[in-house]
């Protein structure tokens, strides 16, 4: 019996960060816990800080004159280097933080489009009883629009000021759910490296009649 051929002998690489600039951020702590669980599972972890990706408000004129700012360039660089990402994002007013959407908008200006084809797991922590889960549904939308493969399961930690203590989730059942969500996601991301999808291009402005003047098409590079 022959050993199955794989597309890569390298280790899965996962970018992980909390989408909050706050020093005492609950989401930063949840991201750190995800990084520990991921690293123990096998992949190489690139554990980033939101501050690495900080950018001024998107301005099309500034883009023309000064180009894409450093924070978005850094997120692009680290996205290109990873197979998958895990983001722990706060919920602001029932949605994703404007600061993070702004980073995504700047980063989406690169071609090839850096989110395209990356597998993503979304998680949140909030003092509320909802755990910030509504914000993740909002975050899912631009990321999927940009071609990321967002994992169907999401993890939202409710009452995180009480349930996330010393960087860990003391409740055994919650912690087991957290671990299994992270591990199941990493298994899928690993499997996807060996079974690349058939998608050939990322096309913006889906639904409009094809029009070279309006469409921006990134052919998927052969791999
Ligand atoms: C502008 C603003 C809006 C917020 N809106 C919500 C909300 O809609 N739902 C929620 O669960 N928490 C909301 N919060 C509370 C945040 O979940 C809480 O501050 C959380 O700790 C922020 O994440 P971080 O600790 O990672 O910075 C809001 C906080 C701010 C500052």
């Amino acid at each position: 019996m022959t050993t199955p051929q794989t597309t890569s002998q390298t280790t899965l690489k996962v970018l992980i960060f909390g989408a909050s600039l706050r020093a005492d951020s609950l989401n930063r702590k949840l991201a750190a816990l995800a990084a520990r669980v991921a690293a123990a599972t096998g992949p190489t972890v690139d554990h980033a800080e939101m501050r690495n990706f900080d950018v001024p408000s998107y301005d099309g004129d500034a883009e023309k004159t000064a180009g894409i700012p450093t924070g978005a360039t850094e997120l692009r660089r680290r996205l290109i280097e990873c197979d998958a990402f895990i983001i722990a994002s706060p919920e602001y007013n029932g949605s994703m933080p404007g600061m993070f959407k702004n980073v995504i908008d700047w980063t989406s200006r690169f071609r090839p489009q850096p989110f395209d084809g990356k597998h993503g797991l979304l998680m949140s922590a909030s003092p509320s009883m909802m755990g910030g889960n509504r914000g993740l549904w909002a975050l899912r939308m631009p990321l999927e629009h940009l071609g990321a493969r967002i994992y169907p399961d999401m993890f939202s930690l409710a009452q995180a000021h009480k349930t996330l203590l010393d960087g860990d989730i003391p409740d055994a059942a919650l912690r087991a759910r957290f671990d299994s969500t992270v591990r199941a996601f990493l298994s899928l991301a690993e499997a996807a490296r060996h079974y690349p999808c058939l998608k050939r291009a990322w096309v913006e402005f889906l639904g409009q009649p094809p029009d070279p003047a309006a469409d921006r098409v990134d052919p998927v590079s052969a791999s």
Side-chain angles (χ1 to χ4, degrees):
M1 191 173 152
T2 54
T3 309
Q5 288 290 310
T6 58
T7 52
S8 168
Q9 298 302 317
T10 57
T11 311
L12 183 80
K13 188 163 180 188
V14 194
L15 171 65
I16 303 180
F17 61 95
S20 171
L21 294 167
R22 222 163 62 82
D24 201 33
S25 159
L26 294 165
N27 287 280
R28 172 191 274 177
K29 291 174 189 167
L30 194 66
L33 182 59
R36 290 208 300 278
V37 172
T41 308
T44 302
V45 172
D46 176 12
H47 188 185
E49 294 289 335
M50 193 64 216
R51 202 157 290 287
N52 302 141
F53 309 135
D54 203 19
V55 284
S57 293
Y58 179 77
D59 176 342
D61 293 336
E63 182 184 0
K64 273 196 190 124
T65 53
I68 300 174
T70 313
T73 307
E74 178 65 3
L75 177 55
R76 174 210 189 207
R77 182 184 71 76
R78 291 167 89 154
L79 278 170
I80 288 171
E81 285 179 5
C82 76
D83 303 289
F85 58 80
I86 298 176
I87 298 170
S89 174
E91 175 180 280
Y92 282 0
N93 298 310
S95 185
M96 62 185 295
M99 169 273 296
F100 188 33
K101 176 65 163 51
N102 185 45
V103 174
I104 292 171
D105 291 341
W106 270 116
T107 309
S108 76
R109 302 298 291 164
F110 284 106
R111 294 292 173 276
Q113 207 285 103
F115 289 98
D116 189 30
K118 304 292 176 187
H119 284 259
L121 171 65
L122 305 184
M123 51 181 62
S124 61
S126 160
S128 81
M129 292 301 286
M130 298 280 286
N133 188 257
R134 292 169 302 180
L136 299 186
W137 286 102
L139 175 56
R140 173 180 284 275
M141 224 179 292
L143 294 176
E144 289 195 352
H145 170 81
L146 293 170
R149 305 288 197 266
I150 303 302
Y151 193 60
D153 295 343
M154 303 186 282
F155 183 90
S156 292
L157 189 63
Q159 296 202 291
H161 58 305
K162 294 181 188 167
T163 51
L164 187 59
L165 299 175
D166 298 323
D168 206 342
I169 302 172
D171 182 273
L174 265 180
R175 176 64 201 268
R177 172 67 62 87
F178 180 82
D179 287 14
S180 66
T181 305
V182 172
R183 289 193 182 123
F185 165 70
L186 294 173
S187 297
L188 178 68
E190 175 63 34
R193 295 204 306 156
H194 306 295
Y195 296 93
C197 73
L198 295 176
K199 186 178 163 190
R200 301 313 308 158
W202 173 73
V203 182
E204 196 176 24
F205 309 138
L206 287 174
Q208 295 184 351
D211 176 358
D215 289 347
R216 296 190 292 152
V217 179
D218 275 353
V220 175
S221 57
S223 55

